Amino acid sequence: MPPTILVFSVFLDFLQQGIEKIKDPRSESNGTKFKVSDAMLSAFSMFFLQSQSFLEYQRQMQSRSGKDNVQSIFGVEKIPSDQQIRNILDLISANSLSFVFERIYQFLQNGKHLKRYERLGGNLLICLDGTEYHSSSKISCDCCSTRNHGNGKVTYSHTAILPVIAAPNCAEVISLPPEFVTPQDGHEKQDCETAAAKRWISKHRHLFQGQAITLLGDDLYSRQPMCRHCLDAEMNFIFTCLPSSHSSLYEWLDYLEKNGEVQHLTTKHRKGKSIEIYTYRFVNQIPLREQEPSLLVNWCELTVRNSVDNSVVFHNALVTNHSLNIDNIAEVVEGGRCRWKTENENHNVLKTKGYKLGHNFGHGQKHLSSTLLSLNLLAFLFHTVLQLIDSSYQEIRRKRGTRRGFFQDILSLTKYFLFDGWQHLIEFMLGDAPVFPDSC
């Protein structure tokens, strides 16, 4: 394990290794003044520093002194123009960046940094959830999904599943390779979220060899084909299960409840100055659907009430392949509730905390939109892991206080001063009496 101050360099090396594996899609007759790595790393630097102006500042620095921070920190040889970056990245599939996500996951596993995320007897909880990051009635590309409206209008959109490792009482989520909802070769039927989720499981199951996994998802996932796909991949699942979509299962529950075969548990928990009453119901080995053959699943429900007025403050029901009993029911339900972290700590952060997930950085005609999203996710992942395991990064974030202030400081420093690399920048920001770097 390298010293924590070098974590950024290790991750950047992973990114550079991944880019080196990408075959340049341009023909030899095309202008190739800029390398694929120049375009990839330039775009990544913009997302990492959360500034669309960063590259322009560095072009100005390059013109003044012949050096710039994109080169010294991120390894870019020549900074392409914004349009040149878009033209190159539009030809490169986002799938080519999965390698980088996988290497970072393996780094965290080998360093035992994911132990804090293990629950349910050593399982990592992986939330599967789709989010739309582009929607327009005018801008479209070959990879867009389409939605036809009754008034004759068509909406073009991009949706991606953004899987994350999450756990109760862990504030940060760990991003894994995304999977895009996009037209599939040889398929007449339009792609959908569950089909994309199945592809993700099939593509990445090898990554978790020797590690128990429990997949989390909303009611969309709690259908037999999806549950069976999880089990075939040797993965566990906890999925939301609503009465409106599982009428046969809930008829079975009513029957079992009347015959006293549904187990109950009630506990009390203090929340601030009030007391909340948790009521669990659960039963094992119940048919998931009416159609035979039906997978037998384990069902559980949690209702949380305020002890003062008996009002319901939370209610949800789940199906799982984890066997349920009095001793583990609370942990299983808590794990299932963790699904919301993908919305709160992932989607919302990406949309509202500087990463601008829904912003159109460039749409292109092929892969640009999804490739830019992947680079943005990698920037988010870099910062997340630095916050988890890099003591110097943690100290700077603690001193600066706000996320916005932290990024403003880095952008200001790299605008006016030239640093030898990320470590030089970090040491400068931490120094009590710093030696100023080369000014430009």
Side-chain angles (χ1 to χ4, degrees):
M1 176 67 62
T4 56
I5 194 66
L6 299 178
V7 169
F8 174 84
S9 298
V10 173
F11 287 2
L12 184 62
D13 188 50
F14 292 160
L15 178 55
Q16 291 170 336
Q17 289 174 26
I19 294 171
E20 287 174 3
K21 294 176 179 291
I22 299 172
K23 183 179 179 180
D24 193 331
R26 296 169 293 178
S27 64
E28 293 183 3
S29 61
N30 289 344
T32 54
K33 177 182 177 182
F34 297 99
K35 297 179 180 179
V36 168
S37 59
D38 289 335
M40 280 277 192
L41 293 170
S42 293
F44 173 78
S45 69
M46 180 193 70
F47 291 126
F48 186 79
L49 296 183
Q50 295 192 355
S51 171
Q52 291 178 263
S53 303
F54 174 67
L55 293 179
E56 182 55 36
Y57 293 151
Q58 300 314 302
R59 292 187 191 102
Q60 294 174 14
M61 181 180 288
Q62 173 66 223
S63 67
R64 292 195 304 268
S65 65
K67 300 177 181 178
D68 61 79
N69 287 305
V70 185
Q71 181 184 70
S72 61
I73 296 177
F74 298 97
V76 175
E77 293 183 14
K78 298 179 182 179
I79 306 174
S81 70
D82 294 353
Q83 190 56 51
Q84 287 165 330
I85 292 173
R86 294 188 183 99
N87 290 342
I88 295 171
L89 298 191
D90 193 27
L91 303 174
I92 299 171
S93 170
N95 292 328
S96 61
L97 293 169
S98 291
F99 167 87
V100 190
F101 289 93
E102 293 182 354
R103 287 301 302 273
I104 294 175
Y105 168 81
Q106 291 164 346
F107 173 92
L108 294 173
Q109 272 287 32
N110 294 339
K112 301 189 183 305
H113 298 294
L114 296 178
K115 283 292 182 182
R116 72 183 79 180
Y117 285 87
E118 291 185 356
R119 299 293 189 274
L120 298 170
N123 278 252
L124 288 179
L125 308 179
I126 297 179
C127 309
L128 299 176
D129 189 42
T131 188
E132 186 176 87
Y133 62 97
H134 166 77
S135 180
S136 174
S137 60
K138 298 179 180 179
I139 301 173
S140 66
C141 70
D142 295 342
C143 294
C144 277
S145 298
T146 58
R147 184 163 57 248
N148 297 306
H149 302 279
N151 59 5
K153 291 186 177 181
V154 179
T155 299
Y156 304 97
S157 63
H158 283 289
T159 301
I161 294 177
L162 309 181
V164 295
I165 299 171
N169 304 319
C170 289
E172 293 85 5
V173 296
I174 308 297
S175 298
L176 294 167
E179 182 64 36
F180 297 91
V181 179
T182 188
Q184 300 296 300
D185 291 340
H187 291 252
E188 293 183 4
K189 189 176 180 180
Q190 185 158 251
D191 198 23
C192 64
E193 183 176 333
T194 52
K198 289 178 183 179
R199 289 198 303 274
W200 186 89
I201 292 169
S202 298
K203 285 181 184 178
H204 303 292
R205 58 187 293 185
H206 69 277
L207 185 61
F208 308 105
Q209 292 294 326
Q211 172 64 61
I213 297 295
T214 294
L215 300 173
L216 312 179
D218 60 21
D219 183 74
L220 186 66
Y221 292 86
S222 58
R223 307 300 195 274
Q224 178 146 324
M226 183 65 187
C227 293
R228 173 53 63 190
H229 193 81
C230 296
L231 297 177
D232 289 345
E234 299 182 342
M235 293 182 175
N236 304 306
F237 62 84
I238 305 174
F239 296 144
T240 298
C241 178
L242 300 178
S244 57
S245 55
H246 294 79
S247 57
S248 175
L249 182 147
Y250 278 87
E251 288 174 5
W252 268 105
L253 278 172
D254 290 342
Y255 172 80
L256 294 173
E257 183 70 75
K258 292 175 182 177
N259 285 274
E261 297 183 47
V262 177
Q263 298 187 64
H264 296 73
L265 174 68
T266 300
T267 59
K268 294 183 179 180
H269 302 264
R270 178 170 293 279
K271 185 175 183 180
K273 295 182 180 180
S274 63
I275 299 293
E276 292 183 337
I277 301 172
Y278 283 46
T279 301
Y280 299 92
R281 293 198 305 151
F282 61 96
V283 63
N284 290 307
Q285 300 296 281
I286 186 171
L288 180 60
R289 66 181 185 184
E290 183 176 11
Q291 178 186 348
E292 294 291 346
S294 177
L295 183 67
L296 296 179
V297 296
N298 309 318
W299 174 91
C300 55
E301 175 190 70
L302 170 63
T303 303
V304 180
R305 294 181 180 274
N306 186 297
S307 62
V308 176
D309 58 9
N310 205 37
S311 60
V312 175
V313 296
F314 176 83
H315 176 266
N316 197 22
L318 308 160
V319 289
T320 179
N321 67 310
H322 287 287
S323 182
L324 304 173
N325 56 59
I326 290 292
D327 295 325
N328 74 355
I329 181 62
E331 185 180 12
V332 171
V333 171
E334 185 181 39
R337 293 180 71 179
C338 198
R339 179 184 71 82
W340 290 103
K341 283 184 173 288
T342 191
E343 183 68 34
N344 298 331
E345 273 77 35
N346 190 54
H347 299 350
N348 289 345
V349 171
L350 288 166
K351 290 176 180 178
T352 65
K353 302 298 183 181
Y355 297 95
K356 299 180 181 180
L357 181 67
H359 180 76
N360 181 20
F361 293 99
H363 192 265
Q365 292 301 312
K366 292 184 177 180
H367 306 293
L368 179 61
S369 185
S370 57
T371 299
L372 289 175
L373 173 64
S374 294
L375 289 169
N376 203 355
L377 288 176
L378 281 172
F380 175 54
L381 177 58
F382 272 46
H383 283 295
T384 299
V385 179
L386 287 168
Q387 179 65 35
L388 278 175
I389 67 177
D390 189 317
S391 58
S392 299
Y393 185 94
Q394 293 166 358
E395 185 177 351
I396 291 170
R397 291 294 301 271
R398 187 165 52 249
K399 284 183 175 180
R400 192 57 184 89
T402 66
R403 178 194 298 263
R404 177 175 294 181
F406 167 75
F407 284 105
Q408 286 175 341
D409 284 355
I410 290 182
L411 187 61
S412 296
L413 288 171
T414 54
K415 179 179 179 180
Y416 295 108
F417 299 111
L418 178 66
F419 295 90
D420 294 336
W422 176 256
Q423 183 174 348
H424 184 197
L425 172 60
I426 294 297
E427 290 174 346
F428 174 78
M429 295 178 73
L430 285 176
D432 294 328
V435 177
F436 279 85
D438 295 337
S439 59
C440 298

